[in-house]
Short mmCIF file of all heavy atoms in Angstrom, two decimals:
data_model
loop_
_atom_site.label_atom_id
_atom_site.label_comp_id
_atom_site.label_asym_id
_atom_site.label_seq_id
_atom_site.Cartn_x
_atom_site.Cartn_y
_atom_site.Cartn_z
N ASP Y 165 211.86 14.44 -89.02
CA ASP Y 165 211.18 13.32 -88.40
C ASP Y 165 210.27 13.83 -87.29
O ASP Y 165 210.54 14.87 -86.68
CB ASP Y 165 212.22 12.34 -87.82
CG ASP Y 165 211.58 11.05 -87.36
OD1 ASP Y 165 210.50 10.71 -87.87
OD2 ASP Y 165 212.17 10.37 -86.49
N GLU Y 166 209.19 13.08 -87.03
CA GLU Y 166 208.27 13.46 -85.96
C GLU Y 166 208.67 12.71 -84.69
O GLU Y 166 208.11 11.67 -84.35
CB GLU Y 166 206.82 13.15 -86.35
CG GLU Y 166 205.82 13.83 -85.43
CD GLU Y 166 204.40 13.80 -85.98
OE1 GLU Y 166 204.01 12.78 -86.56
OE2 GLU Y 166 203.69 14.80 -85.83
N SER Y 167 209.66 13.25 -83.99
CA SER Y 167 210.21 12.57 -82.82
C SER Y 167 209.66 13.10 -81.50
O SER Y 167 209.87 12.50 -80.45
CB SER Y 167 211.74 12.71 -82.81
OG SER Y 167 212.12 14.08 -82.78
N TYR Y 168 208.96 14.25 -81.53
CA TYR Y 168 208.44 14.83 -80.29
C TYR Y 168 207.20 15.66 -80.62
O TYR Y 168 207.12 16.28 -81.68
CB TYR Y 168 209.51 15.73 -79.65
CG TYR Y 168 209.11 16.31 -78.31
CD1 TYR Y 168 209.10 15.51 -77.17
CD2 TYR Y 168 208.72 17.63 -78.19
CE1 TYR Y 168 208.72 16.03 -75.94
CE2 TYR Y 168 208.34 18.16 -76.96
CZ TYR Y 168 208.34 17.35 -75.84
OH TYR Y 168 207.96 17.86 -74.63
N ASN Y 169 206.24 15.65 -79.70
CA ASN Y 169 204.99 16.37 -79.94
C ASN Y 169 205.14 17.81 -79.41
O ASN Y 169 204.65 18.15 -78.33
CB ASN Y 169 203.82 15.67 -79.26
CG ASN Y 169 202.49 16.02 -79.89
OD1 ASN Y 169 202.32 17.12 -80.41
ND2 ASN Y 169 201.55 15.10 -79.86
N TYR Y 170 205.78 18.65 -80.20
CA TYR Y 170 206.02 20.04 -79.80
C TYR Y 170 204.72 20.81 -79.64
O TYR Y 170 204.64 21.76 -78.85
CB TYR Y 170 206.89 20.76 -80.84
CG TYR Y 170 208.31 20.25 -80.89
CD1 TYR Y 170 208.69 19.27 -81.80
CD2 TYR Y 170 209.28 20.75 -80.02
CE1 TYR Y 170 209.99 18.80 -81.85
CE2 TYR Y 170 210.58 20.29 -80.06
CZ TYR Y 170 210.93 19.31 -80.97
OH TYR Y 170 212.23 18.84 -81.00
N ALA Y 171 203.68 20.43 -80.36
CA ALA Y 171 202.42 21.16 -80.34
C ALA Y 171 201.82 21.23 -78.95
O ALA Y 171 201.21 22.23 -78.57
CB ALA Y 171 201.42 20.51 -81.31
N ILE Y 172 201.98 20.17 -78.17
CA ILE Y 172 201.40 20.15 -76.83
C ILE Y 172 202.44 20.11 -75.72
O ILE Y 172 202.13 20.46 -74.58
CB ILE Y 172 200.44 18.95 -76.66
CG1 ILE Y 172 201.22 17.63 -76.64
CG2 ILE Y 172 199.38 18.93 -77.74
CD1 ILE Y 172 200.41 16.46 -76.18
N GLY Y 173 203.67 19.72 -76.04
CA GLY Y 173 204.66 19.50 -74.99
C GLY Y 173 205.75 20.54 -74.88
O GLY Y 173 206.63 20.43 -74.03
N ASP Y 174 205.70 21.57 -75.71
CA ASP Y 174 206.77 22.57 -75.71
C ASP Y 174 206.19 23.96 -75.48
O ASP Y 174 205.61 24.56 -76.38
CB ASP Y 174 207.51 22.52 -77.06
CG ASP Y 174 208.82 23.28 -77.02
OD1 ASP Y 174 209.37 23.45 -75.92
OD2 ASP Y 174 209.30 23.71 -78.09
N ALA Y 175 206.33 24.47 -74.25
CA ALA Y 175 205.86 25.82 -73.93
C ALA Y 175 207.02 26.80 -74.05
O ALA Y 175 208.01 26.69 -73.33
CB ALA Y 175 205.29 25.86 -72.51
N THR Y 176 206.91 27.71 -74.99
CA THR Y 176 207.98 28.69 -75.25
C THR Y 176 207.36 30.08 -75.36
O THR Y 176 206.15 30.25 -75.35
CB THR Y 176 208.71 28.36 -76.56
OG1 THR Y 176 207.77 28.37 -77.65
CG2 THR Y 176 209.38 26.99 -76.50
N GLU Y 177 208.23 31.08 -75.47
CA GLU Y 177 207.75 32.44 -75.71
C GLU Y 177 207.11 32.49 -77.10
O GLU Y 177 207.77 32.20 -78.10
CB GLU Y 177 208.89 33.44 -75.61
CG GLU Y 177 209.45 33.58 -74.19
CD GLU Y 177 210.60 34.56 -74.09
OE1 GLU Y 177 211.50 34.49 -74.95
OE2 GLU Y 177 210.60 35.38 -73.15
N PRO Y 178 205.83 32.84 -77.19
CA PRO Y 178 205.13 32.73 -78.47
C PRO Y 178 205.51 33.79 -79.50
O PRO Y 178 205.27 33.62 -80.70
CB PRO Y 178 203.65 32.88 -78.08
CG PRO Y 178 203.68 33.65 -76.80
CD PRO Y 178 204.94 33.24 -76.10
N GLY Y 179 206.06 34.93 -79.05
CA GLY Y 179 206.44 35.98 -79.99
C GLY Y 179 205.24 36.75 -80.50
O GLY Y 179 204.23 36.91 -79.82
N SER Y 180 205.33 37.20 -81.75
CA SER Y 180 204.37 38.18 -82.28
C SER Y 180 202.93 37.70 -82.36
O SER Y 180 202.01 38.51 -82.41
CB SER Y 180 204.83 38.65 -83.67
OG SER Y 180 205.98 39.45 -83.55
N VAL Y 181 202.69 36.38 -82.38
CA VAL Y 181 201.30 35.90 -82.42
C VAL Y 181 200.56 36.32 -81.14
O VAL Y 181 199.32 36.32 -81.11
CB VAL Y 181 201.23 34.37 -82.59
CG1 VAL Y 181 201.69 33.96 -83.98
CG2 VAL Y 181 202.03 33.65 -81.51
N PHE Y 182 201.30 36.69 -80.08
CA PHE Y 182 200.68 37.10 -78.82
C PHE Y 182 200.11 38.52 -78.91
O PHE Y 182 199.31 38.92 -78.06
CB PHE Y 182 201.72 37.03 -77.70
CG PHE Y 182 201.14 37.02 -76.31
CD1 PHE Y 182 200.72 35.83 -75.73
CD2 PHE Y 182 201.01 38.19 -75.58
CE1 PHE Y 182 200.17 35.81 -74.45
CE2 PHE Y 182 200.47 38.18 -74.30
CZ PHE Y 182 200.05 36.99 -73.73
N LYS Y 183 200.49 39.25 -79.94
CA LYS Y 183 199.97 40.62 -80.08
C LYS Y 183 198.45 40.64 -80.22
O LYS Y 183 197.81 41.62 -79.85
CB LYS Y 183 200.64 41.31 -81.28
CG LYS Y 183 202.10 41.69 -81.01
CD LYS Y 183 202.83 42.11 -82.25
CE LYS Y 183 204.30 42.38 -81.91
NZ LYS Y 183 205.15 42.43 -83.10
N LEU Y 184 197.88 39.57 -80.76
CA LEU Y 184 196.43 39.51 -80.83
C LEU Y 184 195.83 39.48 -79.42
O LEU Y 184 194.81 40.11 -79.17
CB LEU Y 184 195.97 38.27 -81.60
CG LEU Y 184 194.45 38.13 -81.73
CD1 LEU Y 184 193.86 39.24 -82.60
CD2 LEU Y 184 194.07 36.75 -82.29
N MET Y 185 196.45 38.74 -78.49
CA MET Y 185 195.95 38.71 -77.11
C MET Y 185 195.98 40.11 -76.51
O MET Y 185 195.03 40.54 -75.83
CB MET Y 185 196.80 37.77 -76.25
CG MET Y 185 196.58 36.29 -76.50
SD MET Y 185 197.35 35.70 -78.03
CE MET Y 185 197.58 33.96 -77.63
N THR Y 186 197.06 40.84 -76.78
CA THR Y 186 197.17 42.22 -76.27
C THR Y 186 196.11 43.12 -76.90
O THR Y 186 195.47 43.93 -76.22
CB THR Y 186 198.57 42.77 -76.55
OG1 THR Y 186 199.55 41.94 -75.90
CG2 THR Y 186 198.72 44.20 -76.03
N LEU Y 187 195.91 42.97 -78.21
CA LEU Y 187 194.91 43.78 -78.90
C LEU Y 187 193.51 43.51 -78.34
O LEU Y 187 192.75 44.44 -78.08
CB LEU Y 187 194.93 43.47 -80.40
CG LEU Y 187 193.84 44.16 -81.24
CD1 LEU Y 187 193.95 45.68 -81.14
CD2 LEU Y 187 193.90 43.71 -82.69
N VAL Y 188 193.17 42.23 -78.13
CA VAL Y 188 191.85 41.89 -77.60
C VAL Y 188 191.68 42.46 -76.20
O VAL Y 188 190.61 42.94 -75.83
CB VAL Y 188 191.65 40.36 -77.61
CG1 VAL Y 188 190.35 39.98 -76.90
CG2 VAL Y 188 191.62 39.84 -79.05
N SER Y 189 192.75 42.44 -75.40
CA SER Y 189 192.70 43.04 -74.05
C SER Y 189 192.40 44.53 -74.13
O SER Y 189 191.53 45.04 -73.41
CB SER Y 189 194.03 42.83 -73.32
OG SER Y 189 194.30 41.47 -73.13
N LEU Y 190 193.10 45.22 -75.01
CA LEU Y 190 192.90 46.67 -75.17
C LEU Y 190 191.49 47.00 -75.68
O LEU Y 190 190.85 47.94 -75.22
CB LEU Y 190 193.95 47.23 -76.14
CG LEU Y 190 195.39 47.23 -75.64
CD1 LEU Y 190 196.37 47.41 -76.80
CD2 LEU Y 190 195.60 48.35 -74.61
N LEU Y 191 191.00 46.18 -76.62
CA LEU Y 191 189.65 46.40 -77.15
C LEU Y 191 188.59 46.11 -76.09
O LEU Y 191 187.65 46.88 -75.90
CB LEU Y 191 189.42 45.50 -78.37
CG LEU Y 191 190.19 45.83 -79.65
CD1 LEU Y 191 190.04 44.70 -80.67
CD2 LEU Y 191 189.73 47.15 -80.26
#
Side-chain angles (χ1 to χ4, degrees):
D165 189 24
E166 194 166 39
S167 59
Y168 184 75
N169 203 330
Y170 292 95
I172 69 167
D174 193 24
T176 59
E177 292 179 314
S180 290
V181 291
F182 198 85
K183 288 169 184 164
L184 180 67
M185 286 76 155
T186 300
L187 175 60
V188 173
S189 297
L190 291 163
L191 290 170

